[in-house]
Amino acid sequence: MNLSREIRLAARPQGQPTAADFALATVEVPGEIADGQILVRNTWMSVDPYMRGRMDDVPSYIPPFRLGAPLEGSAVGEVVASNVPDVPVGATVSHFLGWREYAVLDAAAATVVDTSVAPADAYLGPLGATGLTAYAALTRTAPVREGDVVFISAAAGAVGSVAGQIARELGASRVIGSAGGPAKTKKLLDTFGYDAAIDYRAGGLPEQLAQAAPDGVDVYLDSVGGDHLQAAIGAIRPGGRIALVGAVSTYNSPTPPPGPDNLFQAAKQEATLRGMLVTSHLDLFPEWIGRAVPLLADGRLRTEQTVVDGVERAPEAFLGVLRGANTGKMLVRIP
C-alpha cells in the first residue's frame, strides 16, 4: 500500500503567513481508481504569489483553500495508473492538484505534455501559466507595439523574467525591469536581456525610472502594485497601457493599503489600466507554446529556476516567493 504526503491549510494567516499555517499529513493512495480517472505521482509542483489570496476566506475570482484540506496548485507528474485509454501509464501530465505526492483526478482535468521538446518542469514555468501570463499580458491586455518602451516589475521573477524577453520579441525599443537587490538587477541585464535594471530596495523608485526612461514608458506590466504602480502611472506616456497582473506588495497587509494617489495622471495621458487573469486567456496556450518552444530550443528565451526539494518543504518555498527569495520560477521537486 502506497502512502502519500500532502500539505494542508492548518490556519488562516493574519498578515504574513508562517510555517504554523501549514500542516504535513500522510494519507493512503487508493488501490483502485474510477473510470475516467488517473493516478499521478507528482514530480514537480509550483508555488505562486496568488496562492496567498486563497489562504483568506474571502470572495475572489478563485475559491479559497479549505481549512484542514490539502492545498491546490499547478503540478506535473507521471501517470502510474489509468482508466483512460488516451492517457496511458507512463505519460507525463500537468494538472492542478499540487501540494501532494500522489493525486487522483479525472483525466479531463489533466493535460498530457510533450517532454521531448522541453523538460517536464518547463510546463510549470515558461510553458505553463507563468509564461502564458507574460505573453497574454503583453499581447492582449497591454499590447506591445513596435518601438515601445516597456517597464516590468518583479522582473527577476517567474513572469517578469519571461515578460522582458517577450517584450523584446514583440518589438520593444527599450525594456526596463525592477527587482530587489544588486544580484537580481545584475541578472536582469546579464541573463534576461533587460536594457536597464532598477533596484527598488535602493529607494527613489520614481527617480530611478525617470533616469531609465527619460521620455516615459508606453507599457507597464504590474505584478507588485503600490509604489511601483504609482511610479508607472507617473511615467506613462499618452496612450500608454498598464496590465494589472498582481499586487504582491499588498498581499500580506491586514488592512487594504492606500492606492496610487496619481490616478488622474492616467486620465490626462488617456492611458489604459486593465486587469488580467490568466484563466481568461487559456485559448492562447497553443499559440504561446508554438512560439516559446523554438525560443527555448535555440536559447533566445532564457529561464532560471529556484528549486526546493521535498513536498514537506513546499511551505518554505511558498513563503520564500512572498519575500522575493526566488530568481525565475520557484519550484518544488518531489523525489
Side-chain angles (χ1 to χ4, degrees):
M1 182 177 296
N2 288 328
L3 299 177
S4 175
R5 294 181 300 168
E6 61 187 28
I7 302 296
R8 298 177 178 177
L9 182 64
R12 300 202 182 276
Q14 302 299 314
Q16 180 76 34
T18 69
D21 297 318
F22 304 88
L24 177 65
T26 301
V27 298
E28 295 180 358
V29 178
E32 296 183 0
I33 57 175
D35 288 344
Q37 288 189 326
I38 56 175
L39 172 63
V40 180
R41 182 181 65 82
N42 287 335
T43 53
W44 294 90
M45 58 162 279
S46 175
V47 290
D48 302 284
Y50 82 88
M51 294 175 175
R52 173 60 186 87
R54 296 193 68 188
M55 298 180 76
D56 296 329
D57 190 11
V58 295
S60 186
Y61 65 93
I62 189 170
F65 293 130
R66 292 181 294 118
L67 277 175
L71 286 79
E72 300 171 342
S74 297
V76 294
E78 178 188 359
V79 176
V80 294
S82 174
N83 273 336
V84 183
D86 293 340
V87 187
V89 170
T92 300
V93 297
S94 64
H95 59 90
F96 206 62
L97 291 183
W99 295 84
R100 67 202 78 189
E101 292 175 321
Y102 287 83
V104 176
L105 65 151
D106 291 340
T111 300
V112 177
V113 299
D114 185 354
T115 56
S116 70
V117 298
D121 51 283
Y123 290 91
L124 296 178
L127 301 183
T130 50
L132 179 63
T133 296
Y135 184 68
L138 297 180
T139 58
R140 280 186 174 172
T141 309
V144 174
R145 301 166 185 159
E146 192 76 27
D148 277 348
V149 176
V150 178
F151 175 41
I152 295 171
S153 61
V159 172
S161 59
V162 173
Q165 298 172 81
I166 291 174
R168 179 78 68 214
E169 288 287 325
L170 294 172
S173 63
R174 185 166 175 80
V175 185
I176 302 156
S178 171
K184 286 190 176 182
T185 53
K186 186 175 187 299
K187 184 75 69 173
L188 295 185
L189 300 173
D190 296 347
T191 301
F192 300 133
Y194 279 82
D195 297 298
I198 294 170
D199 180 359
Y200 69 83
R201 291 179 181 169
L205 179 59
E207 293 77 16
Q208 289 193 70
L209 182 55
Q211 184 176 3
D215 297 323
V217 301
D218 299 289
V219 171
Y220 171 53
L221 192 160
D222 185 30
S223 296
V224 175
D227 60 346
H228 278 70
L229 180 55
Q230 173 137 345
I233 292 172
I236 203 72
R237 297 176 67 180
R241 286 86 65 203
I242 296 176
L244 303 173
V245 174
V248 69
S249 69
T250 70
Y251 290 166
N252 293 321
S253 300
T255 58
D261 61 12
N262 61 342
L263 281 173
F264 189 62
Q265 179 68 17
K268 289 193 296 181
Q269 297 292 67
E270 296 185 297
T272 299
L273 288 79
R274 184 178 178 187
M276 185 260 181
L277 298 176
V278 70
T279 50
S280 297
H281 302 277
L282 297 181
D283 63 297
L284 274 180
F285 244 135
E287 178 181 320
W288 168 236
I289 296 293
R291 295 187 68 161
V293 166
L295 293 176
L296 282 171
D298 65 17
R300 282 180 291 160
L301 179 57
R302 299 182 179 182
T303 63
E304 289 204 7
Q305 301 171 339
T306 302
V307 176
V308 172
D309 284 306
V311 71
E312 73 278 4
R313 296 182 63 197
E316 173 190 335
F318 173 64
L319 297 178
V321 165
L322 295 182
R323 65 173 185 271
N326 57 301
T327 298
K329 180 70 177 177
M330 176 72 88
L331 292 175
V332 178
R333 180 166 46 205
I334 305 175

